[in-house]
Each structure stands twice: as structure tokens, then as C-alpha cells.
Amino acid sequence: MRFADELKNAVTPRAALLVLGCLALQLLFITSYVGALHHPEPRDVKVAVVAPGGAAEQLTGQLNELPGSPLDARPLASEAAAREEMMNRDIDATLLVDPRGGKNDTLLVASGQGGSETRALEQIFTEVAKKQQRTVAFRDIAPASAQDANGLSSFYLVVGWCVGGYLCAAILAISAGARPANTKRAGIRLGAMALYAIVSGLLGAVIAGPVLGALPGSMWGLWGLGALTVFAVGALTLALQGIFGVVGIGLAILVIVIGGNPSAGGAFPGPMLPGFWRSIGPALPPGAATWVARSIAYFKGNNVTGPLLVLSAWAVAGTALTLAVAARVKSSRKGADDTPGGATEVVTPQTPLV
């Protein structure tokens, strides 16, 4: 055969389109990660100011007028109130002005929410104190574990759970066809996904907690979070595969890996990310799960309702779409026999990539 004929037979039009899709995902990956992480700058970091007399309001105004708007400062009545809001993750730091009228201030920080943000805050307030001819000491009220460098362990744990979720769903599709033949088959896949989520959630929590000692806090809480995260990502992937076939795997990677990971607040917490990634992060599984993991580890499990609802919404939506698409497939194939052994369950035969 001529080379042109060999090429035509070896690389089908469908394969060529999938390769172009792969290239698009690669370029989006580069754009998303480099765009989100190449130049982190603090912006509108929530900070409280506790000061005697009317000094709090004056100092708050000065902090809010810093070039580039790195801080979103507001006055608070007492150190106790500030500590409570910090532990509830409503604010990120607190400046305690010397109550004796001296020039020795204190900045309360919480490195458990991310070391990069803590370092940025310390740098900002060191410069502010220097300009005002004051000194500032730093006190960490929710420190990251000594085995959790820069507070990244929670993020990497979540990344592992997410990878397991979409890989398990992809394997189920590759082994038996992207689209389930009926709702019963779809239910079986979802059940297998749930079982995998329970097991992988537990093992991830055990490794990050008791085995490596990277994350303190409740191992049972992390287990529950892991199971929900893995199932949410897996159900989303199953739904996308049911709708778009094998292309759905790429779309799941687009949502979870390309969009979700750099915006999750892992390497750099949300206030240090550019506006687009800061906006989408809390609405995607990696960002929601990373927030909950850090709250479990360092903030007594506070302020997790919203992120858990986000993860639950992804799980419910993925489940509903998977079952709905399977019901539609069954209706379109009414009267046809299932393929023996379930080797393939797609509506149309799978075409080899090459």
C-alpha cells in the first residue's frame, strides 16, 4: 500500500479529532496553571484590626488604601472576637495594636490555611510597621503541622482523591463502553463507584493521618470528605461519558484538573490567585474539598457547610445525569438485545483510535 493509504487507515478522522482535542487540553492546562500560579499577589485578604480608642478605624482605612489593595481590613472590638472569627475562617489574620500605647504590635496568623499567604501577610505588615516606626511580632494561632510543609498536604490529598475518582470512572467506561445500556447497568456503575469512593477515601485519610502524620484532625472526618469527593468526581465523569462518549473523559479532566486544581487554593490560597481562578475555585470539587480538609485539620471543622453542599451538588447532579442518559439510551434501543457479557454498552460501536 502507498504511504498515503497506510496513513489513512492508521489514523482515522475520529482519531485525528481526538488528537486535536488532546492538544487543546494540553494548551488549556498550560494556560490555566501558568496563568493562576505564575505571579501570586495578595488581594483583599480579610484582616481584622483590634486597637484601643478610635485607632482601629483610622488604621483600617490606612490598610485598605495600600497600593494594589492587598488587604480588606475591618475593625473588631476584641482579640477574643478576632480569634473566634479566624478559627471560623471568616478572616485570615488580625492586627493587635499595642494596648498600652507603645509601638509593639502583634499579628495573629493561621498558617494552617496556607504558608504562602501567611508569609505574604507577614511581609506586608513588616513593611507597614517599618514605615510607621513600629514593630510587629507574629503569633500563629492555627499552625500547620510540622509534617505538613506549607500546608500543602490537604491539597495533595484532595488531588489524589480526584484523580482516583475520574480514573475509576474512565476504567469502567473503557472496559464496558462509555454509555451504559440501561439504568440498571448505570446503577451498577454508580454502586461500584460508591464502593470505590468509600475504600479510597478511607485509605487516603489513613495515609495522610496516622501513617505519615501529615494532617492532624479527625481521620473519620477526612474519610467522609474523601468518600464524598471521590464519588462526586467519579459521578461527574460517568455523566460526561454518558453524554459525550469517550470525549467525556477529556471534559472531566478539563473541569477537575485544568479548571479545578490551580484554582483550589492549594499552592496559593484564594486571596493570592487572579480573579478568574479565585472565583471558580470554591465552586469546583478540588477547591471545595481542599477548604474542608484544611478546616478539619486545623480549624476544628468550622465553616464547611457551603463546600460540602458544593461537593454534594456535584455528586447528585452526576448521579442524576448518569441515570437519565442511561434511560434515554435504553429507550432508543428498545427491542434490541444487550451485547453478551457487557463487553460494550455504547449506543454506537466503538471505533478504534488508530
Side-chain angles (χ1 to χ4, degrees):
M1 296 179 65
R2 295 179 304 171
F3 176 77
D5 295 327
E6 291 283 5
L7 180 62
K8 184 177 180 180
N9 289 333
V11 183
T12 65
R14 179 172 180 267
L17 288 175
L18 289 174
V19 168
L20 290 176
C22 180
L23 176 62
L25 283 178
Q26 174 184 319
L27 297 178
L28 286 171
F29 183 98
I30 294 170
T31 302
S32 184
Y33 277 73
V34 176
L37 308 177
H38 77 289
H39 187 54
E41 286 185 318
R43 186 171 181 84
D44 295 330
V45 182
K46 296 179 181 179
V47 174
V49 177
V50 178
E57 286 75 11
Q58 180 182 357
L59 185 53
T60 295
Q62 295 174 358
L63 294 175
N64 286 333
E65 292 174 359
L66 290 175
S69 300
L71 304 177
D72 178 11
R74 56 172 171 159
L76 275 182
S78 66
E79 178 181 348
R83 284 175 172 268
E84 182 178 354
E85 291 206 19
M86 286 183 67
M87 291 306 296
N88 197 44
R89 306 193 71 181
D90 293 325
I91 57 175
D92 299 310
T94 299
L95 178 65
L96 303 176
V97 178
D98 194 332
R100 297 166 296 183
K103 296 186 176 182
N104 302 313
D105 303 329
T106 302
L107 183 70
L108 303 182
V109 295
S111 61
Q113 64 192 355
S116 58
E117 183 183 72
T118 299
R119 289 190 294 271
L121 286 169
E122 291 176 351
Q123 181 179 355
I124 290 171
F125 279 94
T126 297
E127 293 175 357
V128 169
K130 184 177 180 180
K131 290 179 180 179
Q132 296 179 345
Q133 297 182 339
R134 304 177 68 88
T135 63
V136 60
F138 306 106
R139 190 184 308 162
D140 198 340
I141 68 169
S145 165
Q147 304 299 318
D148 183 14
N150 293 317
L152 290 173
S153 297
S154 54
F155 170 62
Y156 288 125
L157 174 61
V158 167
V159 168
W161 280 330
C162 289
V163 169
Y166 66 73
L167 282 184
C168 180
I171 289 170
L172 289 173
I174 292 171
S175 64
R179 298 182 178 96
N182 51 53
T183 53
K184 184 177 180 180
R185 298 282 183 89
I188 291 173
R189 290 190 186 188
L190 289 167
M193 192 71 247
L195 180 61
Y196 176 85
I198 293 171
V199 174
S200 62
L202 173 61
L203 294 179
V206 169
I207 292 171
V211 174
L212 297 179
L215 289 179
S218 169
M219 191 196 75
W220 307 111
L222 288 175
W223 178 14
L225 171 64
L228 178 57
T229 302
V230 174
F231 184 77
V233 173
L236 167 65
T237 307
L238 288 175
L240 291 174
Q241 289 170 159
I243 297 170
F244 300 102
V246 69
V247 175
I249 299 174
L251 294 177
I253 292 173
L254 175 65
V255 174
I256 302 301
V257 179
I258 296 175
N261 286 354
S263 65
F268 300 107
M272 299 192 69
L273 295 174
F276 172 75
W277 287 271
R278 187 191 314 175
S279 298
I280 68 172
L284 298 177
T290 298
W291 177 277
V292 176
R294 283 177 171 160
S295 289
I296 292 172
Y298 300 116
F299 297 92
K300 302 179 180 179
N302 291 329
N303 202 358
V304 298
T305 302
L308 288 176
L309 288 175
V310 169
L311 290 170
S312 300
W314 283 102
V316 171
T319 300
L321 283 173
T322 300
L323 294 173
V325 171
R328 184 175 180 181
V329 170
K330 180 180 179 181
S331 176
S332 66
R333 299 180 63 191
K334 189 174 182 179
D337 293 330
D338 288 341
T339 302
T344 177
E345 298 180 10
V346 294
V347 176
T348 56
Q350 291 290 294
T351 303
L353 295 182
V354 294

